[in-house]
């Protein structure tokens, strides 16, 4: 049995923003460019916890602006690797 790898952070962000994953660039800002509101962001962090097993500290969350920032924070916290 083959286990599929978990969705990427960009895929989770795309889902939260209602966009195609191909249209979510690493440099895209979560709020300004992708128009995520507070409920979208909360759902995104819940998805990250459920899929990748990572809970980000509040001080880390406050520093995240872009998709790349979020990906780096999840990796730094020990994202499960496929």
């Amino acid at each position: 049995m083959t286990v599929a790898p978990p969705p990427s952070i960009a895929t989770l962000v795309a889902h939260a923003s209602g966009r195609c994953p191909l249209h979510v660039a690493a440099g895209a800002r979560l709020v300004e460019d992708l128009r995520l509101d507070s409920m979208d962001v909360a759902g995104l962090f819940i998805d990250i916890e459920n899929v990748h097993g990572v809970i980000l500290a509040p001080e880390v969350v406050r520093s995240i602006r872009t998709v790349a920032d979020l990906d780096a924070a999840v990796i730094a916290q020990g994202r499960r690797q496929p």
Side-chain angles (χ1 to χ4, degrees):
M1 181 169 122
T2 305
V3 177
S8 69
I9 297 303
T11 298
L12 294 175
V13 171
H15 175 71
S17 68
R19 290 176 166 70
C20 171
L22 298 174
H23 296 123
V24 176
R29 296 172 296 175
L30 299 174
V31 175
E32 295 86 350
D33 300 330
L34 299 176
R35 305 259 188 242
L36 296 180
D37 63 21
S38 60
M39 295 301 291
D40 297 328
V41 172
L44 174 59
F45 284 106
I46 290 169
D47 288 345
I48 289 169
E49 179 180 351
N50 290 336
V51 172
H52 293 282
V54 171
I55 300 172
L56 298 172
E59 60 274 6
V60 172
V61 170
R62 285 191 292 273
S63 71
I64 294 170
R65 297 288 176 260
T66 67
V67 176
D69 293 342
L70 179 57
D71 194 48
V74 171
I75 290 169
Q77 291 296 314
R79 170 171 62 184
R80 292 190 306 231
Q81 296 299 318

